Amino acid sequence: VDVSKDCDALSKGWPDHLLYKQPISNNFRRNMIFFNCFYKMEDTLCTQFQMLQWLEYAYGDFTGIPGLPEDKYEAAEVVYKAMYAASTPEARLADDFFWQKHHL
């Protein structure tokens, strides 16, 4: 619910002079901004959920660690990023190969 409200506020707050460059799509610009924002946030939230499931499966409950965000999904993202930063170059290479965008 918060994501949809945030995306709605973003689309309504977008400056008008940037929206009305092409007369054919004037009516759809704000909707395009809203749905573009919503799809990006959907991807982020789904990724955080899957990270949480994987971390709880592999390492157990980690919500009591001090310094983590209150939201368990944001905490999972922080824990994963910390684990990635502390990993060896070989482990990063394997992780990048399987999960990141390829630059081949």
Coordinates of all heavy atoms in Angstrom, one line a residue, residues 15-63:
P15 N 6.8 17.4 -12.8 CA 6.5 18.7 -13.4 C 5.8 18.6 -14.8 O 6.1 17.8 -15.6 CB 7.9 19.3 -13.7 CG 8.8 18.5 -12.8 CD 8.2 17.2 -12.6
D16 N 4.8 19.5 -15.0 CA 4.0 19.5 -16.2 C 4.8 19.7 -17.4 O 4.5 19.1 -18.5 CB 2.8 20.5 -16.0 CG 1.8 20.0 -15.1 OD1 1.7 18.8 -14.8 OD2 1.1 20.9 -14.5
H17 N 5.7 20.6 -17.4 CA 6.5 20.9 -18.6 C 7.3 19.8 -19.1 O 7.6 19.7 -20.3 CB 7.4 22.2 -18.4 CG 8.6 21.9 -17.5 ND1 8.5 21.9 -16.1 CD2 9.8 21.6 -17.8 CE1 9.7 21.6 -15.6 NE2 10.5 21.5 -16.7
L18 N 7.5 18.8 -18.3 CA 8.2 17.6 -18.8 C 7.3 16.5 -19.4 O 7.7 15.6 -20.1 CB 9.0 16.9 -17.6 CG 10.2 17.8 -17.1 CD1 10.8 17.1 -15.9 CD2 11.2 18.0 -18.1
L19 N 6.0 16.7 -19.0 CA 5.0 15.7 -19.5 C 4.5 15.9 -20.8 O 4.1 15.0 -21.5 CB 3.9 15.6 -18.5 CG 4.2 15.1 -17.1 CD1 3.0 15.2 -16.2 CD2 4.6 13.7 -17.1
Y20 N 4.4 17.2 -21.2 CA 3.6 17.5 -22.4 C 4.5 17.8 -23.6 O 4.4 18.9 -24.2 CB 2.7 18.7 -22.1 CG 1.7 18.3 -21.0 CD1 1.7 19.0 -19.8 CD2 0.8 17.3 -21.2 CE1 0.8 18.7 -18.8 CE2 0.0 16.9 -20.1 CZ 0.0 17.6 -19.0 OH -0.9 17.3 -18.0
K21 N 5.4 17.0 -24.0 CA 6.3 17.2 -25.1 C 5.7 16.6 -26.4 O 5.9 17.0 -27.5 CB 7.6 16.6 -24.8 CG 8.4 17.4 -23.8 CD 9.8 16.9 -23.6 CE 10.5 17.7 -22.6 NZ 11.9 17.3 -22.5
Q22 N 4.9 15.5 -26.2 CA 4.3 14.8 -27.4 C 2.8 14.9 -27.2 O 2.3 14.3 -26.3 CB 4.8 13.4 -27.5 CG 6.3 13.3 -27.7 CD 6.8 11.9 -27.7 OE1 6.1 11.0 -27.3 NE2 8.1 11.7 -28.1
P23 N 2.1 15.5 -28.2 CA 0.7 15.6 -28.0 C -0.1 14.3 -28.0 O -1.2 14.2 -27.4 CB 0.3 16.5 -29.2 CG 1.4 16.7 -30.1 CD 2.6 16.1 -29.3
I24 N 0.4 13.3 -28.6 CA -0.4 12.0 -28.7 C -0.4 11.4 -27.3 O -1.4 10.8 -26.9 CB 0.3 11.1 -29.7 CG1 0.1 11.7 -31.1 CG2 -0.3 9.7 -29.6 CD1 0.8 10.9 -32.2
S25 N 0.6 11.5 -26.5 CA 0.7 10.8 -25.3 C 0.5 11.6 -24.0 O 0.8 11.2 -22.9 CB 2.0 10.0 -25.2 OG 3.1 11.0 -25.2
N26 N -0.1 12.8 -24.2 CA -0.3 13.7 -23.1 C -1.1 13.1 -22.0 O -0.8 13.2 -20.8 CB -1.0 15.0 -23.5 CG -0.1 15.9 -24.2 OD1 1.1 15.7 -24.2 ND2 -0.6 16.9 -24.9
N27 N -2.2 12.4 -22.3 CA -3.1 11.8 -21.3 C -2.5 10.6 -20.6 O -2.9 10.3 -19.5 CB -4.4 11.3 -22.0 CG -5.1 12.5 -22.6 OD1 -5.0 13.6 -22.1 ND2 -5.8 12.2 -23.7
F28 N -1.4 10.0 -21.1 CA -0.9 8.8 -20.5 C 0.4 8.9 -19.8 O 0.9 8.0 -19.2 CB -0.8 7.7 -21.6 CG -2.0 7.5 -22.4 CD1 -2.2 7.9 -23.7 CD2 -3.1 6.8 -21.8 CE1 -3.4 7.7 -24.4 CE2 -4.3 6.6 -22.4 CZ -4.4 7.0 -23.7
R29 N 1.0 10.1 -19.8 CA 2.3 10.3 -19.2 C 2.3 10.0 -17.7 O 3.2 9.3 -17.2 CB 2.8 11.7 -19.4 CG 3.2 12.0 -20.9 CD 4.5 11.3 -21.1 NE 4.9 11.5 -22.5 CZ 6.0 11.1 -23.1 NH1 6.8 10.3 -22.4 NH2 6.2 11.4 -24.3
R30 N 1.4 10.5 -17.0 CA 1.3 10.3 -15.5 C 1.1 8.8 -15.2 O 1.7 8.3 -14.3 CB 0.3 11.2 -14.9 CG 0.6 12.6 -14.9 CD -0.1 13.4 -13.8 NE 0.1 14.9 -14.1 CZ 1.1 15.5 -13.7 NH1 2.1 15.0 -13.0 NH2 1.2 16.8 -13.9
N31 N 0.3 8.2 -16.0 CA 0.0 6.8 -15.8 C 1.3 6.0 -16.0 O 1.6 5.0 -15.3 CB -1.1 6.3 -16.6 CG -2.4 6.8 -16.2 OD1 -2.6 7.3 -15.0 ND2 -3.4 6.8 -17.1
M32 N 2.0 6.4 -17.1 CA 3.3 5.7 -17.4 C 4.3 5.8 -16.3 O 5.0 4.9 -15.9 CB 3.8 6.2 -18.7 CG 3.0 5.8 -19.9 SD 3.5 6.6 -21.5 CE 5.2 6.5 -21.5
I33 N 4.4 7.0 -15.7 CA 5.3 7.2 -14.6 C 4.9 6.4 -13.4 O 5.7 5.8 -12.8 CB 5.4 8.7 -14.3 CG1 6.0 9.5 -15.4 CG2 6.1 9.0 -13.0 CD1 5.9 11.0 -15.3
F34 N 3.6 6.4 -13.1 CA 3.1 5.6 -12.0 C 3.5 4.1 -12.1 O 4.0 3.5 -11.3 CB 1.6 5.7 -11.8 CG 1.0 4.8 -10.8 CD1 1.1 5.1 -9.4 CD2 0.4 3.6 -11.2 CE1 0.6 4.2 -8.5 CE2 -0.1 2.8 -10.3 CZ 0.0 3.0 -8.9
F35 N 3.1 3.5 -13.3 CA 3.3 2.1 -13.5 C 4.8 1.7 -13.6 O 5.2 0.7 -13.2 CB 2.5 1.6 -14.7 CG 1.1 1.4 -14.4 CD1 0.2 2.3 -15.0 CD2 0.6 0.5 -13.5 CE1 -1.2 2.2 -14.7 CE2 -0.7 0.4 -13.2 CZ -1.6 1.2 -13.8
N36 N 5.6 2.6 -14.2 CA 7.0 2.4 -14.2 C 7.6 2.3 -12.8 O 8.4 1.4 -12.5 CB 7.7 3.5 -15.1 CG 9.1 3.2 -15.4 OD1 9.6 2.1 -15.2 ND2 9.9 4.2 -15.8
C37 N 7.2 3.3 -12.0 CA 7.7 3.3 -10.6 C 7.2 2.0 -9.9 O 7.9 1.4 -9.1 CB 7.1 4.5 -9.9 SG 7.4 4.6 -8.1
F38 N 5.9 1.7 -10.1 CA 5.3 0.5 -9.4 C 6.0 -0.8 -9.8 O 6.3 -1.6 -8.9 CB 3.8 0.4 -9.7 CG 3.1 -0.5 -8.8 CD1 2.7 -0.1 -7.5 CD2 2.7 -1.8 -9.2 CE1 2.0 -1.0 -6.7 CE2 2.1 -2.6 -8.4 CZ 1.7 -2.2 -7.1
Y39 N 6.3 -1.0 -11.1 CA 7.0 -2.2 -11.5 C 8.4 -2.3 -10.9 O 8.8 -3.4 -10.5 CB 7.0 -2.3 -13.0 CG 5.7 -2.5 -13.6 CD1 5.3 -1.9 -14.8 CD2 4.7 -3.3 -13.1 CE1 4.1 -2.1 -15.4 CE2 3.5 -3.5 -13.6 CZ 3.2 -2.9 -14.8 OH 2.0 -3.1 -15.4
K40 N 9.1 -1.2 -10.8 CA 10.4 -1.2 -10.2 C 10.3 -1.5 -8.8 O 11.2 -2.3 -8.2 CB 11.1 0.2 -10.4 CG 11.6 0.4 -11.8 CD 12.2 1.8 -11.9 CE 12.6 2.0 -13.4 NZ 13.3 3.3 -13.5
M41 N 9.4 -1.0 -8.1 CA 9.2 -1.3 -6.6 C 8.8 -2.7 -6.4 O 9.2 -3.4 -5.5 CB 8.2 -0.3 -6.0 CG 8.8 1.1 -5.9 SD 10.4 1.2 -5.1 CE 10.1 0.6 -3.5
E42 N 8.0 -3.3 -7.3 CA 7.5 -4.7 -7.2 C 8.7 -5.6 -7.3 O 8.9 -6.5 -6.6 CB 6.5 -5.0 -8.3 CG 6.0 -6.4 -8.3 CD 5.0 -6.7 -9.4 OE1 5.1 -6.0 -10.5 OE2 4.1 -7.5 -9.2
D43 N 9.6 -5.3 -8.3 CA 10.9 -6.1 -8.4 C 11.7 -6.0 -7.2 O 12.2 -7.0 -6.7 CB 11.7 -5.6 -9.6 CG 11.1 -6.0 -10.9 OD1 10.2 -6.9 -11.0 OD2 11.5 -5.4 -12.0
T44 N 11.8 -4.8 -6.6 CA 12.6 -4.6 -5.4 C 12.0 -5.4 -4.2 O 12.8 -6.1 -3.5 CB 12.7 -3.1 -5.0 OG1 13.3 -2.4 -6.1 CG2 13.5 -2.9 -3.8
L45 N 10.7 -5.3 -4.0 CA 10.1 -6.0 -2.9 C 10.2 -7.5 -3.1 O 10.4 -8.2 -2.1 CB 8.6 -5.5 -2.8 CG 8.5 -4.1 -2.4 CD1 7.0 -3.7 -2.4 CD2 9.1 -3.8 -1.0
C46 N 10.0 -8.0 -4.3 CA 10.1 -9.5 -4.5 C 11.5 -10.0 -4.3 O 11.7 -11.0 -3.7 CB 9.6 -9.8 -5.9 SG 7.9 -9.7 -6.2
T47 N 12.5 -9.2 -4.7 CA 13.9 -9.5 -4.4 C 14.2 -9.6 -2.9 O 14.8 -10.5 -2.5 CB 14.8 -8.6 -5.1 OG1 14.5 -8.6 -6.5 CG2 16.3 -9.0 -4.9
Q48 N 13.7 -8.6 -2.2 CA 13.9 -8.6 -0.8 C 13.2 -9.8 -0.1 O 13.8 -10.3 0.8 CB 13.4 -7.3 -0.2 CG 14.2 -6.0 -0.5 CD 13.6 -4.8 0.1 OE1 12.4 -4.7 0.4 NE2 14.4 -3.7 0.1
F49 N 12.0 -10.1 -0.5 CA 11.3 -11.3 0.0 C 12.1 -12.6 -0.2 O 12.3 -13.4 0.7 CB 9.9 -11.4 -0.6 CG 9.2 -12.6 -0.2 CD1 8.7 -12.7 1.1 CD2 9.0 -13.7 -1.0 CE1 8.0 -13.9 1.5 CE2 8.3 -14.8 -0.7 CZ 7.8 -14.9 0.6
Q50 N 12.6 -12.7 -1.4 CA 13.4 -13.9 -1.7 C 14.7 -14.0 -1.0 O 15.2 -15.0 -0.5 CB 13.6 -14.1 -3.2 CG 12.3 -14.4 -3.9 CD 12.5 -14.6 -5.4 OE1 13.6 -14.4 -6.0 NE2 11.5 -15.0 -6.1
M51 N 15.4 -12.8 -0.8 CA 16.6 -12.8 0.0 C 16.3 -13.2 1.4 O 17.1 -13.9 2.0 CB 17.2 -11.3 0.0 CG 18.1 -11.0 -1.1 SD 18.9 -9.5 -0.8 CE 18.3 -8.5 -2.2
L52 N 15.2 -12.7 2.0 CA 14.8 -13.0 3.4 C 14.6 -14.5 3.5 O 15.1 -15.2 4.4 CB 13.6 -12.3 3.8 CG 13.0 -12.6 5.2 CD1 14.0 -12.2 6.3 CD2 11.6 -12.0 5.4
Q53 N 13.9 -15.1 2.6 CA 13.6 -16.6 2.6 C 15.0 -17.3 2.5 O 15.2 -18.3 3.3 CB 12.7 -17.0 1.5 CG 11.3 -16.7 1.7 CD 10.4 -17.3 0.6 OE1 10.8 -17.4 -0.6 NE2 9.2 -17.7 1.0
W54 N 15.8 -17.0 1.6 CA 17.1 -17.6 1.5 C 18.0 -17.5 2.7 O 18.6 -18.5 3.2 CB 17.9 -17.1 0.3 CG 19.2 -17.7 0.1 CD1 19.5 -19.0 -0.4 CD2 20.4 -17.2 0.4 NE1 20.8 -19.2 -0.4 CE2 21.4 -18.1 0.1 CE3 20.8 -16.0 1.0 CZ2 22.8 -17.9 0.3 CZ3 22.2 -15.7 1.2 CH2 23.1 -16.7 0.9
L55 N 18.1 -16.3 3.3 CA 18.9 -16.1 4.5 C 18.4 -16.8 5.7 O 19.1 -17.4 6.5 CB 19.0 -14.6 4.8 CG 19.9 -13.8 3.8 CD1 19.7 -12.3 4.1 CD2 21.3 -14.2 4.0
E56 N 17.0 -16.8 5.9 CA 16.5 -17.6 7.0 C 16.7 -19.1 6.8 O 16.9 -19.8 7.8 CB 15.0 -17.2 7.1 CG 14.7 -15.9 7.8 CD 13.3 -15.6 7.9 OE1 12.4 -16.2 7.3 OE2 13.0 -14.6 8.7
Y57 N 16.6 -19.6 5.6 CA 16.8 -21.0 5.3 C 18.3 -21.4 5.6 O 18.6 -22.4 6.2 CB 16.4 -21.3 3.9 CG 16.7 -22.8 3.5 CD1 15.9 -23.8 4.0 CD2 17.8 -23.1 2.7 CE1 16.2 -25.1 3.6 CE2 18.1 -24.4 2.4 CZ 17.3 -25.4 2.8 OH 17.5 -26.7 2.5
A58 N 19.2 -20.5 5.2 CA 20.6 -20.8 5.3 C 21.2 -20.5 6.6 O 22.0 -21.3 7.1 CB 21.4 -20.1 4.2
Y59 N 20.8 -19.4 7.3 CA 21.4 -19.0 8.5 C 20.5 -18.9 9.7 O 20.9 -18.5 10.8 CB 22.1 -17.6 8.3 CG 23.1 -17.7 7.2 CD1 22.8 -17.1 5.9 CD2 24.3 -18.3 7.4 CE1 23.8 -17.2 4.9 CE2 25.3 -18.3 6.4 CZ 25.0 -17.8 5.2 OH 25.9 -17.8 4.2
G60 N 19.2 -19.1 9.5 CA 18.3 -19.0 10.6 C 17.8 -17.5 10.8 O 18.0 -16.7 10.0
D61 N 17.1 -17.3 11.9 CA 16.6 -16.0 12.2 C 17.7 -15.0 12.6 O 18.6 -15.3 13.4 CB 15.6 -16.1 13.4 CG 14.9 -14.8 13.6 OD1 14.7 -14.0 12.7 OD2 14.5 -14.5 14.8
F62 N 17.7 -13.8 11.9 CA 18.7 -12.8 12.2 C 18.1 -11.5 12.6 O 18.8 -10.5 12.5 CB 19.6 -12.7 10.9 CG 18.9 -12.2 9.7 CD1 18.7 -10.9 9.4 CD2 18.4 -13.2 8.8 CE1 18.0 -10.5 8.3 CE2 17.7 -12.8 7.7 CZ 17.5 -11.5 7.5
T63 N 16.9 -11.5 12.9 CA 16.2 -10.2 13.1 C 16.6 -9.5 14.4 O 16.4 -8.3 14.6 CB 14.7 -10.4 13.2 OG1 14.3 -11.4 14.1 CG2 14.2 -10.8 11.8

